Amino acid sequence: MNLDVQSITAAALGIALAACCGFRVFVPMLVAGLASRFHVFNFSDSFSWLSSTPALIALGAATITEIAGYYVPFIDNILDTISAPLAAVAGTLLATSVMPIDNEWMKWIIGIVAGGGGAGLVSSGTGFLRLLSSKTTLGTGNAVVATGENTAAVGGSILAFIIPIVMAAIFLLLSFWILKTIYNSFVKKKGT
């Protein structure tokens, strides 16, 4: 029974961290690397490099650059275009790194579907929100959107280690809401 709870918790952690990659690609990877470095949790052996000093330095620099870039008008929209596929890759990597599955093929398939799919969906939703903000506020509201995304990425990544099942459930509900919103916007656009 203990193994089942650990497996569910690990899967929830993977889903929550992957979804946070949809807000910011590098923040959840940095938080996970630091958590592993300070022995809050351990990556599987093949992913232990994420907590190495060179990886943490690179992730720290990438995190600072990414966060700063979202506060620059026009650059933020370019970053949205670039970050969608990167978020899916980062989400896949993080989800796969914590999945307690012995079969490598199955681990990667679940990581791609749950992690990459969740991160890509959240990234698409935030890109959609920034596009809406750019259109309605001529980009002046994008800093508010960026601050919200930064807060969600940092807070969500930290909370994923504290309450992983709750965070996974929140991000699953968020994903459903994003899908529904995007679908409704296309249905309304098609009807006019």
Side-chain angles (χ1 to χ4, degrees):
M1 182 68 173
N2 193 20
L3 179 61
D4 292 339
V5 172
Q6 288 176 346
S7 298
I8 291 169
T9 302
L13 174 63
I15 290 169
L17 285 173
C20 288
C21 288
F23 293 113
R24 290 293 174 264
V25 174
F26 298 108
V27 169
M29 294 179 73
L30 178 62
V31 170
L34 289 171
S36 178
R37 184 64 169 259
F38 292 110
H39 307 293
V40 173
F41 93 109
N42 293 314
F43 286 115
S44 59
D45 290 339
S46 57
F47 292 97
S48 61
W49 61 269
L50 281 167
S51 60
S52 69
T53 301
L56 291 174
I57 290 170
L59 289 171
T63 297
I64 291 168
T65 303
E66 181 182 28
I67 287 174
Y70 274 100
Y71 287 104
V72 179
F74 183 69
I75 299 295
D76 58 352
N77 291 316
I78 293 172
L79 283 173
D80 275 337
T81 305
I82 296 168
S83 71
L86 287 177
V89 171
T92 298
L93 183 70
L94 278 177
T96 303
S97 72
V98 299
M99 291 290 171
I101 300 171
D102 292 331
N103 183 322
E104 286 295 314
W105 282 98
M106 187 58 69
K107 182 187 283 194
W108 279 99
I109 289 170
I110 292 172
I112 290 168
V113 172
L121 184 61
V122 171
S123 181
S124 297
T126 60
F128 185 72
L129 180 61
R130 185 173 330 284
L131 181 64
L132 183 64
S133 171
S134 294
K135 287 175 82 172
T136 57
T137 67
L138 299 175
T140 58
N142 289 5
V144 174
V145 173
T147 301
E149 292 169 344
N150 293 335
T151 303
V154 173
S157 297
I158 292 169
L159 287 174
F161 287 99
I162 299 169
I163 48 173
I165 294 172
V166 172
M167 291 308 294
I170 288 170
F171 285 120
L172 289 173
L173 290 171
L174 175 66
S175 296
F176 175 75
W177 179 77
I178 290 169
L179 281 173
K180 182 179 174 188
T181 302
I182 292 172
Y183 174 78
N184 287 341
S185 71
F186 284 120
V187 168
K188 287 179 183 175
K189 193 181 277 187
K190 194 173 186 179
T192 57

